[in-house]
Amino acid sequence: MSDETANGSGDDGEDRRDFLQLATYTVGAVGAALATWPIIDSINPPADVLALSSTEVDIEPIEEGQSITVVWRGRPVFIRHRTADEIEQAVSVSLADLPDPQSDADRTQKPEWLIMVGVCTHLGCIPIGQRETEPKGEFGGWFCPCHGSHYDTSGRIRKGPAPANLEVPAYSFLTDTTIKIG
């Protein structure tokens, strides 16, 4: 009998040690993955936030010349069914006259529907002009009474301290009478 066989340090011992090391590393890796999963999962947005990421709006009851306000991501969104005169006013403006040049066609998917975030780009106020009885400013659109910004019938800044047009959110027409914002 040789010394290696008597001491148990032959190939069987090395195989056993290699197996135990491999098993230990595997169990350690699985344990580390299971321990980090809750941390990784906590980074994902919660269900209530995902629910606010988009909203569907039925626009069928909105008559020509009317506006509604819906909430998307905690911000007001103005949806206006524009009249032919409002569309004509918006289209006829020279881009050279605008502080933030943007054509009406770039702001709408269908000319009769204007959809934009109702937050003034100056200091975050909410412009008035959604109701028929409210002042619409010098350009027939929206007016921010806090600091005097005037927006036209396409939501573009025309006068006042606001540096940019009212934001147009990502939206799509799901049907002729339903839009999805976000």
Side-chain angles (χ1 to χ4, degrees), residues 28-138:
V30 169
L34 290 174
T36 58
W37 177 252
I39 296 168
I40 293 170
D41 191 45
S42 72
I43 297 171
N44 292 330
D48 61 336
V49 171
L50 290 175
L52 291 174
S53 66
S54 67
T55 187
E56 291 183 16
V57 181
D58 180 15
I59 58 174
E60 185 174 21
I62 307 170
E63 295 182 22
E64 189 174 291
Q66 285 186 326
S67 298
I68 66 167
T69 303
V70 297
V71 177
W72 171 66
R73 293 185 179 172
R75 301 187 301 170
V77 173
F78 297 165
I79 301 173
R80 177 139 182 97
H81 191 170
R82 298 191 300 177
T83 64
D85 288 341
E86 290 172 331
I87 296 168
E88 177 58 33
Q89 286 176 3
V91 171
S92 66
V93 173
S94 169
L95 294 182
D97 295 339
L98 299 173
D100 183 13
Q102 193 175 27
S103 73
D104 186 63
D106 290 339
R107 297 182 56 77
T108 61
Q109 292 179 19
K110 294 182 179 182
E112 64 273 17
W113 293 105
L114 178 64
I115 298 154
M116 59 191 178
V117 177
V119 176
C120 181
T121 57
H122 178 234
L123 290 176
C125 306
I126 298 175
I128 58 175
Q130 281 291 87
R131 297 186 184 122
E132 286 186 37
T133 58
E134 292 178 338
K136 308 233 183 260
E138 293 180 22

Side-chain angles (χ1 to χ4, degrees), residues 2 4-19:
S2 73
E4 288 181 13
T5 309
N7 293 337
S9 61
D11 287 337
D12 289 342
E14 288 179 19
D15 288 344
R16 185 177 307 137
R17 185 179 18 187
D18 291 344
F19 171 76

